[in-house]
Amino acid sequence: MDNVVIAGVGKSIPSKVVTNEMLCQIVDTNDECITSRTGIKQRHITTGENTSDIASKAALNALENANIDALDIDLIIVATCTPDMFTPATACIVQKNIGAKNAFAFDLSAACSGFIYGINVAKSMMKQNNIKKSLVIGAETLSKTLDWKDRSTCVLFGDGAGAAVLSLDQNEGIIDVICNSKGAKWENLTIGARDINNPYVDEVSSINHYLQMNGGEIFKFATVTIVKLIKEILKKNNLILDDIDYIVPHQANERIIQFAAKKLDISMDKFYINIHEYGNTSAASIPIAISEIEEKSLLKKGDKIIAVGFGAGLTSGACLIEWTK
């Protein structure tokens, strides 16, 4: 059994809903403006849970969906750009929370592409090291990074987590993964960390700790990248768009998805979209969407999906999956 499949999926969404109308009470904007430019109608915001908390709930839901015990998990990867703290890894806290004491755990930082990067890393480690079962989690509490006076960013993001259980199997499952990065463009989307401040520096650095984004540059990058990655992974695997049942894009902006559909000459119905409810949840957006697809029984065994992500770094990635559940 040298193939890796998705054996189960799950999600966890904070209960607090913040609508566009509610944001109008905080910043100078309106529902029509937000909806027309992004497709977002609301987002879910934590009222106290940290990233490890919602990641743990998503993990437990994925384990239940897979009918697998936490003690059977060998590896936990949490993809996040909003960890609980610099160290320990959020994945180690999740390990404790869910009782996966036989696993080893670490975090991965690739922003909105993080879940796809995590799938790629887990798949490679499982095939090379005979790791039988893994948890890959995308989890974010982006609300703690936002400047709630900046209407260009605070209306876009939400909190949430999604998880997938990966298992060695005779079926192909995760067929192919592509990961890219364009570090020369890193300054276009950032969340600042700690200032440089020690006795040997002449001047203490001053870092903006809020999420900052050059929206125009990110939009241009995303619209080109999503089309390129979909075409590339299809070509690599001798497939055409008609072979794909769903494309699951990172939920950043509905206009990006509309652009991709036009360039690919396909219906928007080919894309699974839930940005209207959750906004941009970064590394969590793709696993949340896949979990919803499973909940709604939209996939049957043998169906194929492409997950495609893009974000800070600038990172990007695509994953071709055959559904085996």
Side-chain angles (χ1 to χ4, degrees):
M1 296 192 297
D2 57 355
N3 295 315
V4 178
V5 304
I6 293 181
V9 288
K11 71 181 193 300
S12 176
I13 310 297
S15 60
K16 176 66 174 178
V17 174
V18 178
T19 65
N20 290 347
E21 288 82 2
M22 293 168 67
L23 282 182
C24 295
Q25 308 302 314
I26 301 174
V27 291
D28 182 17
T29 188
N30 58 73
D31 174 63
E32 192 280 330
C33 179
I34 299 171
T35 303
S36 63
R37 295 182 180 183
T38 67
I40 300 168
K41 297 294 291 184
Q42 64 178 43
R43 68 286 298 143
H44 294 247
I45 301 297
T46 176
T47 55
E49 292 179 302
N50 212 333
T51 303
S52 63
D53 297 313
I54 56 176
S56 298
K57 291 180 180 179
L60 289 171
N61 289 334
L63 289 169
E64 181 179 2
N65 183 248
N67 195 27
I68 290 173
D69 192 276
L71 294 174
D72 296 326
I73 296 297
D74 306 301
L75 166 65
I76 301 171
I77 299 174
V78 172
T80 185
C81 60
T82 54
D84 287 18
M85 54 194 79
F86 287 152
T87 191
T90 301
C92 292
I93 304 173
V94 171
Q95 178 194 18
K96 183 260 186 183
N97 288 348
I98 68 174
K101 66 180 183 180
N102 296 319
F104 65 100
F106 60 90
D107 288 356
L108 183 154
S109 178
C112 307
S113 311
F115 182 75
I116 292 174
Y117 274 52
I119 290 286
N120 200 14
V121 171
K123 178 186 177 185
S124 298
M125 295 182 73
M126 291 173 74
K127 294 181 73 169
Q128 294 176 13
N129 299 294
N130 197 34
I131 295 170
K132 292 181 173 58
K133 290 179 173 56
S134 299
L135 262 173
V136 179
I137 307 163
E140 304 285 11
T141 49
L142 286 158
S143 60
K144 67 186 179 184
T145 73
L146 299 178
D147 178 355
W148 289 92
K149 297 178 182 178
D150 179 6
R151 67 178 182 178
S152 69
T153 55
C154 74
V155 302
L156 302 175
F157 298 94
D159 302 333
V165 175
L166 306 189
S167 180
L168 287 180
D169 196 275
Q170 61 185 5
N171 296 302
E172 193 160 20
I174 300 170
I175 299 170
D176 195 11
V177 189
I178 298 171
C179 292
N180 295 317
S181 60
K182 187 177 287 188
K185 300 282 187 178
W186 72 266
E187 292 175 312
N188 287 294
L189 181 49
T190 62
I191 301 172
R194 296 290 298 274
D195 297 336
I196 300 298
N197 181 10
N198 66 59
Y200 304 101
V201 297
D202 295 329
E203 185 177 348
V204 175
S205 66
S206 181
I207 294 174
N208 189 321
H209 302 286
Y210 292 123
L211 184 150
Q212 295 183 290
M213 181 173 68
N214 182 335
E217 284 297 316
I218 295 298
F219 190 90
K220 287 191 290 185
F221 169 72
T223 50
V224 171
T225 298
I226 187 173
V227 174
K228 180 181 177 182
L229 282 170
I230 290 169
K231 288 182 175 179
E232 182 179 349
I233 205 161
L234 286 171
K235 184 177 180 180
K236 277 185 64 181
N237 294 278
N238 299 310
L239 297 171
I240 61 174
L241 282 166
D242 286 344
D243 297 319
I244 305 302
D245 296 280
Y246 275 106
I247 298 171
V248 183
H250 166 50
Q251 311 287 317
N253 187 316
E254 191 168 11
R255 289 168 60 202
I256 293 171
I257 303 169
Q258 291 169 346
F259 180 93
K262 183 176 180 180
K263 285 292 184 181
L264 294 167
D265 193 26
I266 56 176
S267 167
M268 284 285 285
D269 292 340
K270 180 76 79 170
F271 293 87
Y272 185 83
I273 302 172
N274 61 8
I275 190 172
H276 58 282
E277 181 173 352
Y278 303 116
N280 183 344
T281 56
S282 189
S285 76
I286 289 174
I288 287 173
I290 294 176
S291 179
E292 282 196 343
I293 291 173
E294 163 72 1
E295 289 174 358
K296 295 177 181 178
S297 301
L298 296 177
L299 291 173
K300 62 182 184 298
K301 189 173 182 178
D303 283 353
K304 291 183 174 63
I305 65 175
I306 293 175
V308 58
F310 43 85
L314 298 175
T315 64
S316 59
C319 183
L320 175 63
I321 302 165
E322 182 170 311
W323 205 245
T324 57
K325 284 180 61 60

